[in-house]
Amino acid sequence: MKAIIPVAGAGTKLRPHTYTQPKALIPLAGKTILSIIVDQLTEAGINEFIFIVGYLGEKIQDYVKEKYPGLQTHFVYQSERHGIGHAIQLTRNIVADDEMFIVLGDTICEYDVKQVLDMPGSVLGVKRVDDPRNFGVVEMGEDGFINRVVEKPQIPKSNMALVGVYRIKETALLFNCLENNIRNQVMSRGEFSITDALECMIQQGARFQAFKVQNWFDCGRKETLLESNATLLKKFGGVIAPEHNLENTIIIPPVSIAKGCSINNSIIGPNVTIGEKTTINYSIIKDSIIGSFADLYDIVLTTSLIGSDTEVKGESRSLNIGDNTEIDLGES
């Protein structure tokens, strides 16, 4: 079993943060998006990973090697982004005939990984959504097996969406379908999608069961990222690292504060994640994510996303600030 995590996307909906940091490394509830995914899989016993990297891929590689030195890892570079299907095809030589457990690099779901691994055949993660037109859509039969998958249909025949979690046993068939789609330019909205390859497999006799995830957290935009941060903090509780300096500060849970932070004369929380070695003075912060090595002074922040190596001084605002930024909202 090899886990495949595509993390080559540019994360354009989270600009300006993703100009300097991969979306998968944005802090979320005391971890990163990527570490939440990897931890889920390693806890279920998977220890060999293929990361498909591209934009800022060296940061992904450095992070994985530092945080997970015991894992067997491979890094595949996707020089041109032609979709998830194209990305998966690049792993063919490494995967060989092994089974695959594919999790998209911005997909955080609650589900029992071990239970999925114990299912007898290939399975696809699904969740009921209000508007399935922006997702791969699953059409299921009464026997519980999937009859058809369609990428982003304008007139969906189902409201069950693919969440980006796939366990594939028929590895060779998937790669053959991907290769066929790429050779024949079978594309959806200008990209080679994995959904089209799965449909090719179904047409050639492959049988997929669906498993329903309990929750599906959207990390694609600032607003939904902050909502996901709050939900995960409430569910798992915040963690305050012991290596910190808190003076004359009120903490309103749930809050996650990484090691090396210095926070003085402030009110933090609820629903706040703070990265490593950040300094906060005379500030009030709630419903926000603050990166590492940030310096905040005399500021009131709510529903804000602040990048690493930033400096912010001033008054009450809702901000979306990328890395390596300095802002002074006070009087000159």
Side-chain angles (χ1 to χ4, degrees), residues 86-166:
H86 173 257
I88 300 300
Q89 176 67 9
L90 296 175
T91 70
R92 184 166 196 167
N93 290 338
I94 300 174
V95 173
D97 295 325
D98 288 347
E99 294 182 20
M100 293 185 288
F101 200 107
I102 303 169
V103 182
L104 303 189
D106 58 356
T107 296
I108 298 177
C109 297
E110 282 187 273
Y111 63 103
D112 189 330
V113 181
K114 288 185 178 180
Q115 185 179 46
V116 173
L117 292 175
D118 289 340
M119 294 177 73
S122 294
V123 291
L124 309 178
V126 299
K127 184 80 167 67
R128 191 181 306 276
V129 298
D130 293 331
D131 185 356
R133 290 176 296 177
N134 290 322
F135 305 98
V137 173
V138 167
E139 298 175 17
M140 289 190 292
E142 294 181 359
D143 59 359
F145 283 89
I146 296 170
N147 294 330
R148 187 175 181 232
V149 291
V150 185
E151 179 67 11
K152 298 178 181 177
Q154 288 304 300
I155 306 177
K157 295 184 179 180
S158 162
N159 61 357
M160 299 299 293
L162 291 167
V163 300
V165 179
Y166 319 86

Coordinates of all heavy atoms in Angstrom, one line a residue, residues 86-166:
H86 N -3.3 13.8 -14.3 CA -2.0 13.9 -14.8 C -1.0 13.7 -13.7 O 0.1 13.1 -13.9 CB -1.8 15.3 -15.5 CG -0.4 15.6 -15.9 ND1 0.5 16.4 -15.2 CD2 0.4 15.1 -17.0 CE1 1.6 16.5 -15.8 NE2 1.6 15.7 -16.9
A87 N -1.2 14.3 -12.5 CA -0.3 14.2 -11.4 C -0.2 12.7 -10.9 O 0.9 12.2 -10.7 CB -0.8 15.0 -10.2
I88 N -1.3 12.0 -10.8 CA -1.3 10.6 -10.4 C -0.5 9.8 -11.4 O 0.2 8.8 -11.0 CB -2.7 10.1 -10.2 CG1 -3.5 10.9 -9.1 CG2 -2.7 8.6 -9.8 CD1 -2.8 10.9 -7.8
Q89 N -0.7 10.0 -12.7 CA 0.0 9.3 -13.7 C 1.5 9.3 -13.6 O 2.2 8.4 -13.9 CB -0.4 9.8 -15.1 CG 0.3 9.1 -16.3 CD -0.1 7.6 -16.5 OE1 -1.0 7.1 -15.8 NE2 0.6 6.9 -17.3
L90 N 2.1 10.4 -13.0 CA 3.5 10.6 -12.9 C 4.1 9.6 -11.8 O 5.3 9.4 -11.8 CB 3.8 12.0 -12.4 CG 3.5 13.1 -13.4 CD1 3.7 14.5 -12.8 CD2 4.2 13.0 -14.7
T91 N 3.2 9.0 -11.0 CA 3.7 8.1 -10.0 C 3.8 6.6 -10.4 O 4.1 5.8 -9.6 CB 2.8 8.2 -8.7 OG1 1.5 7.6 -9.0 CG2 2.6 9.6 -8.3
R92 N 3.5 6.4 -11.7 CA 3.3 5.0 -12.1 C 4.5 4.1 -11.8 O 4.4 3.0 -11.3 CB 3.0 4.9 -13.6 CG 2.7 3.5 -14.1 CD 2.0 3.5 -15.4 NE 1.4 2.2 -15.7 CZ 0.6 1.9 -16.7 NH1 0.2 2.9 -17.5 NH2 0.1 0.7 -16.9
N93 N 5.7 4.6 -12.1 CA 6.9 3.7 -11.9 C 7.2 3.4 -10.4 O 7.7 2.4 -10.1 CB 8.1 4.4 -12.5 CG 8.1 4.5 -14.0 OD1 7.4 3.6 -14.7 ND2 8.8 5.4 -14.7
I94 N 6.8 4.4 -9.6 CA 7.1 4.1 -8.1 C 6.0 3.2 -7.6 O 6.3 2.3 -6.8 CB 7.1 5.5 -7.4 CG1 8.2 6.4 -7.9 CG2 7.2 5.3 -5.9 CD1 8.2 7.8 -7.3
V95 N 4.8 3.4 -8.0 CA 3.7 2.6 -7.4 C 3.8 1.1 -7.9 O 3.5 0.2 -7.1 CB 2.3 3.2 -7.8 CG1 1.2 2.2 -7.4 CG2 2.1 4.5 -7.2
A96 N 4.2 0.9 -9.1 CA 4.2 -0.4 -9.7 C 2.9 -1.1 -9.6 O 1.9 -0.5 -10.0 CB 5.3 -1.2 -9.1
D97 N 2.8 -2.3 -8.9 CA 1.5 -3.0 -8.8 C 0.9 -2.9 -7.4 O -0.1 -3.6 -7.1 CB 1.8 -4.5 -9.1 CG 2.2 -4.7 -10.6 OD1 1.7 -4.0 -11.4 OD2 3.0 -5.6 -10.8
D98 N 1.5 -2.0 -6.6 CA 0.9 -1.9 -5.2 C -0.4 -1.2 -5.2 O -0.8 -0.4 -6.2 CB 1.9 -1.1 -4.3 CG 3.1 -1.8 -4.0 OD1 3.2 -3.1 -4.2 OD2 4.1 -1.2 -3.5
E99 N -1.2 -1.4 -4.2 CA -2.4 -0.7 -4.0 C -2.1 0.8 -3.7 O -1.1 1.1 -3.2 CB -3.3 -1.3 -2.9 CG -3.8 -2.7 -3.2 CD -4.7 -3.3 -2.1 OE1 -5.2 -2.5 -1.3 OE2 -4.8 -4.5 -2.0
M100 N -3.1 1.6 -3.9 CA -2.9 3.1 -3.7 C -4.0 3.6 -2.7 O -5.2 3.2 -2.8 CB -3.0 3.9 -5.0 CG -1.9 3.6 -6.0 SD -2.0 4.7 -7.4 CE -3.5 4.0 -8.2
F101 N -3.6 4.5 -1.9 CA -4.5 5.3 -1.1 C -4.2 6.7 -1.4 O -3.3 7.3 -0.9 CB -4.3 5.0 0.4 CG -5.5 5.3 1.3 CD1 -6.3 4.3 1.8 CD2 -5.8 6.7 1.5 CE1 -7.4 4.6 2.6 CE2 -6.9 7.0 2.3 CZ -7.7 5.9 2.8
I102 N -5.1 7.3 -2.2 CA -4.9 8.7 -2.7 C -5.7 9.7 -1.8 O -6.9 9.5 -1.6 CB -5.3 8.8 -4.2 CG1 -4.6 7.8 -5.0 CG2 -5.1 10.3 -4.6 CD1 -5.1 7.7 -6.4
V103 N -5.1 10.7 -1.3 CA -5.8 11.8 -0.6 C -5.3 13.1 -1.1 O -4.1 13.4 -1.1 CB -5.5 11.7 0.9 CG1 -6.3 12.8 1.6 CG2 -5.8 10.4 1.5
L104 N -6.2 13.9 -1.7 CA -5.8 15.2 -2.2 C -5.3 16.1 -1.1 O -5.7 16.1 0.0 CB -7.0 15.9 -2.9 CG -7.7 15.1 -4.0 CD1 -8.7 15.9 -4.7 CD2 -6.7 14.5 -5.0
G105 N -4.3 16.9 -1.5 CA -3.5 17.6 -0.5 C -4.2 18.7 0.2 O -3.7 19.4 1.2
D106 N -5.4 19.0 -0.2 CA -6.2 20.0 0.6 C -7.5 19.4 1.1 O -8.5 20.1 1.4 CB -6.6 21.2 -0.3 CG -7.3 20.8 -1.6 OD1 -7.6 19.6 -1.8 OD2 -7.7 21.7 -2.4
T107 N -7.5 18.1 1.3 CA -8.7 17.4 1.7 C -8.5 16.9 3.1 O -7.7 16.0 3.4 CB -9.0 16.2 0.8 OG1 -9.2 16.6 -0.5 CG2 -10.1 15.3 1.3
I108 N -9.3 17.5 4.0 CA -9.3 17.0 5.4 C -10.7 16.5 5.7 O -11.7 17.2 5.6 CB -9.0 18.2 6.4 CG1 -7.5 18.7 6.1 CG2 -9.1 17.7 7.8 CD1 -7.1 19.8 7.0
C109 N -10.8 15.2 6.0 CA -12.0 14.6 6.3 C -11.9 13.8 7.6 O -10.8 13.3 8.0 CB -12.4 13.6 5.2 SG -12.7 14.4 3.6
E110 N -13.1 13.6 8.2 CA -13.1 12.7 9.4 C -13.7 11.4 8.9 O -14.8 11.3 8.4 CB -14.1 13.3 10.4 CG -13.4 14.4 11.3 CD -14.3 14.8 12.4 OE1 -15.2 15.7 12.2 OE2 -14.2 14.2 13.5
Y111 N -12.9 10.3 9.0 CA -13.4 9.0 8.7 C -12.4 8.0 9.3 O -11.3 8.3 9.7 CB -13.4 8.8 7.1 CG -12.1 8.9 6.5 CD1 -11.4 7.8 6.0 CD2 -11.5 10.2 6.2 CE1 -10.1 7.9 5.4 CE2 -10.3 10.3 5.6 CZ -9.6 9.2 5.2 OH -8.4 9.3 4.6
D112 N -12.8 6.7 9.4 CA -12.0 5.7 9.9 C -11.1 5.1 8.8 O -11.6 4.3 8.0 CB -12.9 4.6 10.6 CG -12.1 3.6 11.4 OD1 -11.0 3.3 11.0 OD2 -12.7 3.0 12.3
V113 N -9.8 5.4 8.8 CA -9.0 5.0 7.8 C -8.8 3.5 7.8 O -8.8 2.8 6.8 CB -7.6 5.7 7.9 CG1 -6.7 5.2 6.7 CG2 -7.7 7.2 7.8
K114 N -8.7 2.9 9.0 CA -8.5 1.4 9.1 C -9.7 0.7 8.6 O -9.6 -0.3 7.9 CB -8.3 1.1 10.6 CG -6.9 1.5 11.1 CD -6.7 1.0 12.5 CE -5.3 1.3 13.0 NZ -5.0 0.8 14.4
Q115 N -10.9 1.2 8.8 CA -12.1 0.6 8.3 C -12.1 0.6 6.7 O -12.5 -0.4 6.1 CB -13.3 1.3 8.8 CG -14.7 0.7 8.4 CD -15.8 1.4 9.0 OE1 -15.9 2.7 8.9 NE2 -16.8 0.7 9.6
V116 N -11.7 1.7 6.2 CA -11.6 1.8 4.7 C -10.5 0.8 4.2 O -10.8 0.2 3.2 CB -11.2 3.3 4.3 CG1 -11.0 3.3 2.8 CG2 -12.3 4.2 4.7
L117 N -9.4 0.7 4.9 CA -8.4 -0.3 4.4 C -8.9 -1.7 4.5 O -8.4 -2.6 3.7 CB -7.1 -0.1 5.3 CG -6.4 1.2 5.1 CD1 -5.2 1.3 6.1 CD2 -5.8 1.4 3.7
D118 N -9.8 -2.0 5.4 CA -10.3 -3.3 5.6 C -11.4 -3.7 4.6 O -11.8 -4.9 4.5 CB -10.8 -3.5 7.0 CG -9.7 -3.6 8.1 OD1 -8.6 -3.9 7.7 OD2 -10.0 -3.3 9.2
M119 N -12.0 -2.7 3.9 CA -13.0 -3.0 2.9 C -12.5 -3.9 1.8 O -11.3 -3.7 1.4 CB -13.6 -1.7 2.4 CG -14.4 -0.9 3.5 SD -15.0 0.7 2.9 CE -16.4 0.1 1.9
P120 N -13.2 -4.8 1.3 CA -12.7 -5.8 0.3 C -12.2 -5.3 -1.0 O -11.3 -5.9 -1.6 CB -13.8 -6.8 0.2 CG -15.1 -6.0 0.5 CD -14.7 -5.0 1.5
G121 N -12.8 -4.2 -1.5 CA -12.5 -3.8 -2.9 C -12.0 -2.3 -2.9 O -11.7 -1.7 -1.9
S122 N -12.1 -1.7 -4.1 CA -11.7 -0.3 -4.2 C -12.9 0.5 -3.7 O -14.1 0.2 -3.9 CB -11.5 0.0 -5.7 OG -10.3 -0.6 -6.2
V123 N -12.6 1.6 -3.0 CA -13.6 2.5 -2.4 C -13.3 3.9 -2.7 O -12.1 4.3 -2.8 CB -13.7 2.2 -0.9 CG1 -14.3 0.8 -0.7 CG2 -12.4 2.3 -0.2
L124 N -14.4 4.7 -2.7 CA -14.3 6.2 -2.9 C -15.0 6.9 -1.8 O -16.1 6.6 -1.5 CB -14.9 6.6 -4.3 CG -14.4 5.8 -5.5 CD1 -15.2 6.3 -6.7 CD2 -12.9 5.9 -5.7
G125 N -14.4 7.9 -1.2 CA -15.0 8.7 -0.2 C -16.0 9.7 -0.8 O -15.7 10.4 -1.8
V126 N -17.2 9.8 -0.1 CA -18.2 10.7 -0.6 C -18.9 11.4 0.5 O -18.8 11.0 1.7 CB -19.3 9.9 -1.4 CG1 -18.7 9.2 -2.6 CG2 -20.0 8.9 -0.4
K127 N -19.5 12.5 0.2 CA -20.3 13.3 1.2 C -21.4 14.0 0.5 O -21.2 14.5 -0.6 CB -19.4 14.4 1.8 CG -20.0 15.2 2.9 CD -20.0 14.4 4.2 CE -20.3 15.3 5.4 NZ -21.7 15.8 5.5
R128 N -22.6 14.1 1.1 CA -23.7 14.7 0.5 C -23.5 16.3 0.6 O -23.1 16.8 1.7 CB -25.0 14.4 1.3 CG -26.3 14.8 0.6 CD -27.5 14.4 1.5 NE -27.5 13.0 1.8 CZ -27.9 12.1 1.0 NH1 -28.4 12.4 -0.2 NH2 -27.9 10.8 1.3
V129 N -23.7 17.0 -0.5 CA -23.5 18.4 -0.5 C -24.7 19.1 -1.1 O -25.6 18.5 -1.8 CB -22.3 18.8 -1.4 CG1 -21.0 18.2 -0.8 CG2 -22.4 18.3 -2.8
D130 N -24.9 20.4 -0.8 CA -26.0 21.1 -1.3 C -26.0 21.4 -2.8 O -27.0 21.3 -3.5 CB -26.2 22.4 -0.5 CG -26.5 22.2 1.0 OD1 -27.1 21.2 1.3 OD2 -26.1 23.0 1.8
D131 N -24.8 21.7 -3.2 CA -24.6 22.1 -4.7 C -23.4 21.3 -5.2 O -22.3 21.6 -5.0 CB -24.4 23.6 -4.9 CG -24.3 24.0 -6.3 OD1 -24.4 23.1 -7.2 OD2 -24.2 25.2 -6.6
P132 N -23.7 20.1 -5.9 CA -22.6 19.3 -6.3 C -22.0 19.7 -7.6 O -21.1 19.0 -8.1 CB -23.3 17.9 -6.5 CG -24.7 18.3 -6.8 CD -25.0 19.6 -6.1
R133 N -22.4 20.8 -8.2 CA -21.9 21.1 -9.6 C -20.4 21.4 -9.6 O -19.8 21.4 -10.7 CB -22.7 22.3 -10.1 CG -24.1 22.0 -10.5 CD -24.9 23.2 -10.9 NE -25.0 24.2 -9.8 CZ -25.6 25.4 -10.0 NH1 -26.0 25.7 -11.1 NH2 -25.6 26.2 -8.9
N134 N -19.8 21.7 -8.5 CA -18.3 22.0 -8.4 C -17.5 20.8 -8.0 O -16.3 21.0 -7.7 CB -18.1 23.2 -7.5 CG -18.6 24.5 -8.1 OD1 -18.5 24.8 -9.3 ND2 -19.2 25.3 -7.2
F135 N -18.1 19.7 -8.0 CA -17.4 18.5 -7.5 C -17.5 17.3 -8.5 O -18.4 17.4 -9.4 CB -17.9 18.0 -6.2 CG -17.9 19.1 -5.1 CD1 -19.1 19.8 -4.9 CD2 -16.8 19.4 -4.4 CE1 -19.1 20.8 -3.9 CE2 -16.8 20.4 -3.4 CZ -17.9 21.1 -3.2
G136 N -16.7 16.3 -8.3 CA -17.0 15.0 -9.0 C -18.2 14.4 -8.3 O -18.3 14.5 -7.1
V137 N -19.1 13.9 -9.1 CA -20.4 13.4 -8.5 C -20.6 11.9 -8.7 O -20.2 11.4 -9.8 CB -21.6 14.2 -9.2 CG1 -22.9 13.6 -8.8 CG2 -21.6 15.7 -8.8
V138 N -21.0 11.3 -7.7 CA -21.2 9.8 -7.7 C -22.7 9.4 -7.9 O -23.5 10.0 -7.2 CB -20.7 9.2 -6.4 CG1 -21.1 7.8 -6.2 CG2 -19.2 9.3 -6.3
E139 N -23.0 8.5 -8.8 CA -24.3 7.9 -8.9 C -24.2 6.5 -8.5 O -23.5 5.7 -9.1 CB -24.8 8.0 -10.4 CG -24.8 9.5 -10.9 CD -25.2 9.6 -12.4 OE1 -25.7 8.6 -12.9 OE2 -25.0 10.6 -13.0
M140 N -25.0 6.2 -7.5 CA -25.0 4.8 -6.9 C -26.2 4.0 -7.2 O -27.3 4.6 -7.3 CB -24.8 4.9 -5.3 CG -23.4 5.4 -4.9 SD -23.1 5.3 -3.2 CE -24.2 6.5 -2.5
G141 N -26.0 2.7 -7.2 CA -27.1 1.8 -7.4 C -27.7 1.3 -6.1 O -27.1 1.6 -5.0
E142 N -28.7 0.6 -6.1 CA -29.4 0.1 -4.9 C -28.5 -0.9 -4.1 O -28.7 -1.1 -2.9 CB -30.7 -0.5 -5.2 CG -31.8 0.5 -5.7 CD -33.1 -0.2 -6.0 OE1 -33.2 -1.4 -5.8 OE2 -34.0 0.6 -6.4
D143 N -27.5 -1.5 -4.8 CA -26.7 -2.5 -4.2 C -25.5 -1.8 -3.5 O -24.7 -2.5 -2.9 CB -26.1 -3.5 -5.2 CG -25.3 -2.8 -6.4 OD1 -25.2 -1.5 -6.3 OD2 -24.8 -3.5 -7.3
G144 N -25.5 -0.5 -3.5 CA -24.4 0.2 -2.8 C -23.1 0.4 -3.6 O -22.2 1.1 -3.1
F145 N -23.1 -0.1 -4.8 CA -21.9 0.1 -5.6 C -22.2 1.3 -6.5 O -23.3 1.7 -6.8 CB -21.7 -1.2 -6.5 CG -21.0 -2.3 -5.7 CD1 -21.7 -3.2 -5.0 CD2 -19.6 -2.3 -5.6 CE1 -21.1 -4.2 -4.3 CE2 -19.0 -3.4 -4.9 CZ -19.8 -4.3 -4.2
I146 N -21.1 1.9 -7.0 CA -21.1 3.1 -7.8 C -21.3 2.7 -9.3 O -20.6 1.9 -9.8 CB -19.9 3.9 -7.6 CG1 -19.8 4.4 -6.1 CG2 -19.8 5.1 -8.5 CD1 -18.4 5.0 -5.8
N147 N -22.4 3.3 -9.9 CA -22.6 3.0 -11.3 C -21.9 4.0 -12.2 O -21.5 3.6 -13.4 CB -24.1 3.1 -11.6 CG -24.9 2.1 -10.9 OD1 -24.4 1.0 -10.7 ND2 -26.2 2.4 -10.5
R148 N -21.7 5.2 -11.7 CA -21.1 6.3 -12.6 C -20.5 7.4 -11.8 O -21.0 7.7 -10.7 CB -22.2 6.8 -13.5 CG -21.7 7.8 -14.6 CD -22.9 8.1 -15.5 NE -22.5 9.1 -16.6 CZ -23.1 10.2 -16.9 NH1 -24.2 10.6 -16.2 NH2 -22.7 11.0 -17.9
V149 N -19.4 8.0 -12.3 CA -18.9 9.2 -11.7 C -18.7 10.2 -12.8 O -18.4 9.9 -13.9 CB -17.6 8.9 -11.0 CG1 -17.7 8.1 -9.7 CG2 -16.5 8.3 -11.9
V150 N -19.1 11.5 -12.5 CA -19.1 12.6 -13.5 C -18.4 13.8 -12.8 O -18.7 14.1 -11.7 CB -20.5 13.0 -13.9 CG1 -20.4 14.0 -15.0 CG2 -21.3 11.7 -14.4
E151 N -17.4 14.4 -13.6 CA -16.7 15.5 -13.0 C -17.5 16.8 -13.3 O -17.8 17.2 -14.4 CB -15.3 15.6 -13.7 CG -14.5 16.8 -13.3 CD -14.0 16.7 -11.8 OE1 -14.2 15.6 -11.2 OE2 -13.5 17.7 -11.3
K152 N -17.9 17.5 -12.2 CA -18.5 18.8 -12.2 C -19.7 18.9 -13.3 O -19.6 19.7 -14.2 CB -17.5 19.9 -12.5 CG -16.4 19.9 -11.4 CD -15.4 21.0 -11.6 CE -14.3 21.0 -10.5 NZ -13.2 21.9 -10.7
P153 N -20.7 18.1 -13.1 CA -21.8 18.1 -14.1 C -22.7 19.4 -13.9 O -22.9 19.8 -12.7 CB -22.6 16.8 -13.8 CG -22.3 16.6 -12.3 CD -20.9 17.0 -12.1
Q154 N -23.1 19.9 -15.0 CA -24.0 21.1 -14.8 C -25.4 20.7 -14.4 O -26.1 21.5 -13.8 CB -24.1 21.8 -16.2 CG -22.8 22.5 -16.6 CD -22.4 23.5 -15.5 OE1 -23.1 24.5 -15.2 NE2 -21.2 23.3 -14.9
I155 N -25.8 19.5 -14.7 CA -27.1 19.0 -14.2 C -26.9 17.7 -13.5 O -27.0 16.6 -14.0 CB -28.1 18.8 -15.4 CG1 -28.3 20.0 -16.2 CG2 -29.5 18.3 -14.9 CD1 -29.2 19.9 -17.4
P156 N -26.5 17.8 -12.2 CA -26.2 16.6 -11.4 C -27.4 15.6 -11.2 O -28.5 16.1 -11.0 CB -25.6 17.1 -10.1 CG -25.4 18.6 -10.3 CD -26.4 19.0 -11.4
K157 N -27.1 14.3 -11.3 CA -28.2 13.4 -11.0 C -28.1 12.8 -9.6 O -28.8 11.9 -9.2 CB -28.1 12.2 -12.0 CG -28.4 12.6 -13.5 CD -28.4 11.4 -14.4 CE -28.7 11.9 -15.8 NZ -28.7 10.7 -16.8
S158 N -27.1 13.4 -8.8 CA -26.9 13.0 -7.5 C -26.3 14.2 -6.7 O -25.7 15.1 -7.3 CB -26.0 11.8 -7.4 OG -25.4 11.6 -6.1
N159 N -26.5 14.2 -5.4 CA -25.9 15.2 -4.6 C -24.8 14.6 -3.7 O -24.3 15.2 -2.7 CB -26.9 15.9 -3.7 CG -27.6 15.0 -2.8 OD1 -27.4 13.8 -2.8 ND2 -28.5 15.6 -1.9
M160 N -24.3 13.4 -4.1 CA -23.1 12.8 -3.4 C -21.9 13.2 -4.1 O -21.6 12.8 -5.3 CB -23.3 11.3 -3.4 CG -24.6 10.8 -2.7 SD -24.6 11.3 -0.9 CE -23.3 10.3 -0.3
A161 N -21.0 13.9 -3.5 CA -19.8 14.4 -4.1 C -18.6 13.6 -3.6 O -18.5 13.1 -2.5 CB -19.5 15.9 -3.7
L162 N -17.6 13.4 -4.6 CA -16.3 12.8 -4.2 C -15.5 13.8 -3.4 O -15.4 15.0 -3.7 CB -15.5 12.5 -5.5 CG -16.1 11.4 -6.4 CD1 -15.4 11.4 -7.7 CD2 -15.9 10.0 -5.7
V163 N -15.0 13.4 -2.3 CA -14.3 14.3 -1.3 C -12.8 14.3 -1.6 O -12.1 15.2 -0.9 CB -14.6 13.9 0.1 CG1 -16.1 13.9 0.4 CG2 -14.0 12.5 0.5
G164 N -12.3 13.5 -2.4 CA -10.8 13.5 -2.7 C -10.1 12.4 -1.9 O -8.9 12.6 -1.7
V165 N -10.8 11.3 -1.5 CA -10.1 10.2 -0.9 C -10.5 9.0 -1.7 O -11.6 8.6 -1.8 CB -10.6 10.0 0.6 CG1 -9.9 8.8 1.2 CG2 -10.3 11.3 1.4
Y166 N -9.4 8.2 -2.2 CA -9.6 7.1 -3.1 C -8.7 6.0 -2.6 O -7.5 6.1 -2.5 CB -9.3 7.5 -4.5 CG -9.8 8.8 -5.0 CD1 -9.0 10.0 -4.7 CD2 -11.0 9.0 -5.6 CE1 -9.4 11.2 -5.1 CE2 -11.4 10.3 -6.1 CZ -10.6 11.4 -5.8 OH -11.0 12.6 -6.2

